[in-house]
Amino acid sequence: MDEDFPKTLLPMEKRFGTEDACREYLTQLRWPTGFICPGCKGKAGWIDRRHRWTCQTCRRQTTVTAGTIFEGTHLPLQVWFRAAWLITSQKSGASALGIQRVLGLGSYETAWSWLHKLRRAMVRPGRERLVGTVEVDETFVGGVTPGAHARDGGGKALIMIAAEEDGAGIGRIRLGQVPDASADHLHRFIQQAIAPGSTIHTDGWASYQGLEKLGYAHRTTRLKGKGKQAPVELLPRVHRVAALLKRWLLGTHQGAVSPSHLDYYMDEFTFRFNRRRSASRGKLFFRLLEQAVQVEPVTYDAMIGGKLHQR
Ligand SMILES: [Zn+2]
């Protein structure tokens, strides 16, 4: 599908004012070249008046929302589209309470689970890893952390941040939660987030040793004498990202994020951060819905269980 999306609120409201218009849009996103049976991949089928597709080959019945995050929803797609608009059009996203109020959803739990379903659509399947020179560091999130570089948790979540160097600025980022700052976990995060051949830029923490064996170049910047240089000057990009992430968690979400759900909040932060130079917020809306019809449905029970996703 061409990148066809409303750029501002009014065109969005006009365009998606009926269930048919929303369904048609999702159909274009899911099957841009025409219906494909999710069972046998057959390309021939017909649609009935209740919007149900029947595969001509295997006779399986399906709908455009079956097998996506919209599966089984009791509320109109129009409301979903507005939730997607709210979360993508605002620079800081939206909280569950905000979504509940603006959309008039019956319960906080519904709003909360919608946001989590949408967050699961924020990681594009098969996305490319970071490349070039990439700053990597760990930090704790959750509560106030005096002396933020102590590597013992104290009940807080330990996260890894990777940020591409782009001149003096930041390119793309990746975030991930790790159980501890051992070489095992740091190396695994780096392998998932960054393509081999890249240069990893870290501080002198011993767990970062051995990256050359994994196919990376490794540049280390060490603290020169006590108090002369703050860590923020050594790895300015990851510290900038850490500050923005913490401000967002405390601001939009009031710090009410448990470690078991933190990965999904970080996915949302990453989605927005990596598209911060998009000319139009409507493009984020488009990407989110595009990915929403490619992502498997997840139940509320699985979400409150905080099931970590496969990366
Ligand atoms: Zn079929």
Side-chain angles (χ1 to χ4, degrees), residues 282-304:
K283 185 152 182 180
L284 276 70
F285 171 80
F286 169 78
R287 286 277 173 248
L288 179 56
L289 290 181
E290 184 182 51
Q291 288 166 205
V293 291
Q294 296 172 23
V295 171
E296 292 281 305
V298 57
T299 64
Y300 183 72
D301 285 345
M303 281 190 289
I304 57 174

Side-chain angles (χ1 to χ4, degrees), residues 21-286:
C22 297
R23 201 179 297 106
E24 177 56 28
Y25 195 66
L26 293 183
T27 304
Q28 282 297 319
L29 289 172
R30 185 168 184 190
W31 296 314
T33 58
F35 171 75
I36 296 173
C37 170
C40 72
K41 308 292 172 206
K43 288 186 172 137
W46 62 87
I47 187 168
D48 65 23
R49 266 193 265 166
R50 296 182 61 214
H51 315 291
R52 201 175 300 277
W53 287 87
T54 303
C55 173
Q56 194 179 313
T57 311
C58 73
R59 302 282 154 159
R60 175 169 163 161
Q61 293 201 320
T62 191
T63 64
V64 70
T65 52
T68 76
I69 67 165
F70 306 110
E71 181 172 298
T73 187
H74 300 299
L75 285 162
L77 289 172
Q78 293 171 69
V79 186
W80 273 100
F81 273 49
R82 276 144 189 83
W85 184 266
L86 285 168
I87 201 173
T88 51
S89 65
Q90 306 180 97
K91 208 177 154 215
S92 304
S95 67
L97 193 58
I99 291 277
Q100 186 196 356
R101 283 180 182 155
V102 173
L103 298 179
L105 298 178
S107 73
Y108 178 82
E109 284 69 29
T110 301
W112 184 91
S113 72
W114 277 29
L115 286 180
H116 268 290
K117 286 180 185 194
L118 288 168
R119 285 185 188 110
R120 278 161 173 75
M122 288 183 182
V123 176
R124 186 166 53 83
R127 64 181 176 178
E128 293 85 20
R129 288 179 284 182
L130 305 184
V131 295
T133 299
V134 183
E135 286 183 10
V136 175
D137 203 0
E138 337 86 53
T139 187
F140 288 104
V141 297
V144 184
T145 316
H149 223 273
R151 272 164 167 116
D152 58 324
K156 299 177 180 74
L158 181 63
I159 65 159
M160 303 285 302
I161 299 175
E164 287 177 338
E165 295 187 8
D166 180 11
I170 307 173
R172 293 172 302 158
I173 62 164
R174 291 281 186 271
L175 306 173
Q177 197 175 169
V178 285
D180 57 60
S182 63
D184 248 18
H185 292 301
L186 303 197
H187 289 181
R188 196 173 308 151
F189 169 80
I190 286 169
Q191 288 182 293
Q192 284 171 352
I194 305 166
S198 306
T199 299
I200 312 291
H201 185 192
T202 69
D203 63 15
W205 179 243
S207 291
Y208 289 113
Q209 286 169 17
L211 287 171
E212 288 87 353
K213 271 182 248 157
L214 302 174
Y216 300 97
H218 186 200
R219 184 149 65 93
T220 310
T221 306
R222 286 171 214 280
L223 280 169
K224 294 182 190 105
K226 267 186 184 167
K228 282 184 185 164
Q229 258 177 316
V232 68
E233 291 156 0
L234 298 178
L235 299 164
R237 292 169 190 81
V238 287
H239 286 93
R240 173 90 184 124
V241 171
L244 289 170
L245 173 69
K246 289 172 188 181
R247 194 182 307 161
W248 179 67
L249 290 172
L250 284 172
T252 300
H253 302 291
Q254 311 266 302
V257 174
S258 72
S260 61
H261 297 126
L262 182 61
D263 280 312
Y264 301 110
Y265 287 87
M266 293 197 293
D267 287 343
E268 179 184 346
F269 182 88
T270 303
F271 175 83
R272 196 173 286 111
F273 188 92
N274 286 348
R275 290 165 183 80
R276 67 198 182 282
R277 296 192 191 115
S278 262
S280 164
R281 308 304 291 182
K283 185 152 182 180
L284 276 70
F285 171 80
F286 169 78

